[in-house]
Amino acid sequence: MKTVRTKKSLSRLSRSWHEAGQSVALVPTMGYLHEGHLSLVRLARKKADRVVVSVFVNPTQFGPNEDFAKYPRDEKRDFALLAAEGVDAVFAPTPQEMYGADATVRVVESSLSKTMCGAFRPIHFSGVMTVVLKLFNASRCDVAVFGEKDAQQLSVIRRMVRDLDVPVKIVGAPLVREADGLARSSRNVYLSEGERARALSLSAGLDKAREDWLRGNESAARAVATVRKAIGKKADKIDYVVAVDPDTLEPVAKLERGTLVAVAAWFGSTRLIDNHFLRR
Ligand code: PAF
């Protein structure tokens, strides 16, 4: 596995693969890898001849009072995990390499990125889209894989690619859970034992709403109420529970196959997200 630190060397490497007739998949991550990330890598392997994983804690997607400084990092462990997966190259730039000191351009989306997490994290998706577009440009990837765990991020990136004619195929990968149902997240390490136990209410609530739908419930309001009731007093604060169209992120009245039921809630000082795309 090659370790690449500059955008220029990544572009050069990708160009050499393309010249040899090989396609390139990118898996963007912020590191501190877990089984969820590794499942994205395995899917990327099926989609292209070469796999690049970026490991970059992107400062522009964190608000001033968010966890950028304390976001967990372990480059050595990440690289070992990626090498074991047979990844072709890991791209791990510094913030200075990624962003010019006098950069003044950001990608802005004016609808999907304003709801759900965007209503609580106003600059987040602009930072995500900007870094993702820069990673696409540096890696010259043909395909990029993102987890459905970050369902809103996936919708926003699909919209960016559509509206800016970005020639990259976006692939969504299913959310991966711990054995007890907690959605895998690098932020789970912040949880105390008690908070972690209470956080299981997220998957429990979403499961209940899905089972209710499978039994015939079509009311989105009822699904939202079911999730809210399950999380109830277990969470310290609920940011939102929604049932939305996965493409537009507009609230729906009637549940359908593919409807996104999503939640964000706080357990202590940790904000967790979770979701179900309604499937049989
Ligand atoms: O999902 C993440 O880890 C990040 O938002 C991403 C896509 C790597 C951009 O920094």
Side-chain angles (χ1 to χ4, degrees):
M1 183 178 80
K2 289 191 164 60
T3 301
V4 183
R5 298 283 182 186
T6 67
K7 292 180 277 184
K8 214 182 225 167
S9 12
L10 182 61
S11 299
R12 206 179 302 127
L13 182 61
S14 179
R15 196 177 319 117
S16 73
W17 288 333
H18 280 129
E19 280 166 5
Q22 296 170 335
S23 57
V24 178
L26 173 71
V27 181
T29 81
M30 296 208 300
Y32 213 70
L33 304 176
H34 50 68
E35 196 51 37
H37 296 110
L38 301 182
S39 74
L40 307 185
V41 171
R42 288 171 203 142
L43 184 57
R45 171 61 66 222
K46 293 189 187 143
K47 301 286 172 187
D49 302 307
R50 298 287 189 171
V51 176
V52 177
V53 177
S54 60
V55 173
F56 178 62
V57 184
N58 173 37
T60 67
Q61 68 189 70
F62 290 80
N65 299 317
E66 293 183 358
D67 57 343
F68 173 68
K70 75 161 192 171
Y71 194 84
R73 293 163 170 87
D74 191 344
E75 197 177 90
K76 214 169 141 203
R77 183 177 158 276
D78 287 347
F79 288 11
L81 287 170
L82 295 175
E85 288 295 327
V87 163
D88 295 283
V90 59
F91 177 53
T94 60
Q96 295 72 23
E97 166 63 19
M98 212 50 207
Y99 292 102
D102 57 352
T104 54
V105 176
R106 291 277 167 91
V107 181
V108 175
E109 193 283 331
S110 55
S111 175
L112 284 70
S113 61
K114 303 299 174 199
T115 65
M116 297 166 63
C117 289
F120 298 87
R121 306 183 71 191
I123 61 147
H124 176 68
F125 289 110
S126 179
V128 169
M129 285 183 290
T130 303
V131 81
V132 166
L133 189 58
K134 286 165 75 67
L135 290 167
F136 286 178
N137 288 337
S139 68
R140 297 158 189 253
C141 59
D142 305 286
V143 181
V145 182
F146 294 88
E148 287 181 351
K149 153 90 184 347
D150 295 301
Q152 183 174 16
Q153 169 172 284
L154 181 58
S155 302
V156 168
I157 287 167
R158 285 193 199 283
R159 182 61 65 92
M160 172 184 80
V161 163
R162 187 198 81 176
D163 287 359
L164 298 183
D165 307 311
V166 181
V168 175
K169 182 170 184 236
I170 305 301
V171 174
L175 188 155
V176 177
R177 296 183 181 280
E178 307 276 358
D180 59 7
L182 186 70
R184 296 256 181 176
S185 164
S186 304
R187 289 190 168 101
N188 290 349
V189 293
Y190 299 153
L191 297 168
S192 69
E193 214 176 297
E195 289 162 355
R196 198 185 178 293
R198 289 191 282 121
L200 295 179
S201 59
L202 296 174
S203 54
L206 289 165
D207 283 348
K208 272 203 185 105
R210 179 172 170 273
E211 282 154 20
D212 201 21
W213 171 69
L214 287 173
R215 281 195 300 266
N217 172 50
E218 291 189 332
S219 159
R222 178 167 152 160
V224 166
T226 299
V227 179
R228 276 196 174 272
K229 190 169 167 212
I231 301 168
K233 292 193 179 74
K234 305 266 179 176
D236 293 300
K237 183 169 162 261
I238 299 176
D239 274 356
Y240 63 80
V241 180
V242 291
V244 296
D245 175 295
D247 296 325
T248 63
L249 303 185
E250 299 278 354
V252 295
K254 187 177 165 207
L255 300 177
E256 283 173 12
R257 183 185 295 246
T259 296
L260 170 65
V261 183
V263 51
W266 291 83
F267 298 86
S269 56
T270 306
R271 183 179 187 273
L272 297 179
I273 56 172
D274 200 346
N275 69 68
H276 271 1
F277 286 88
L278 294 181
R279 286 173 186 139
R280 291 193 191 275

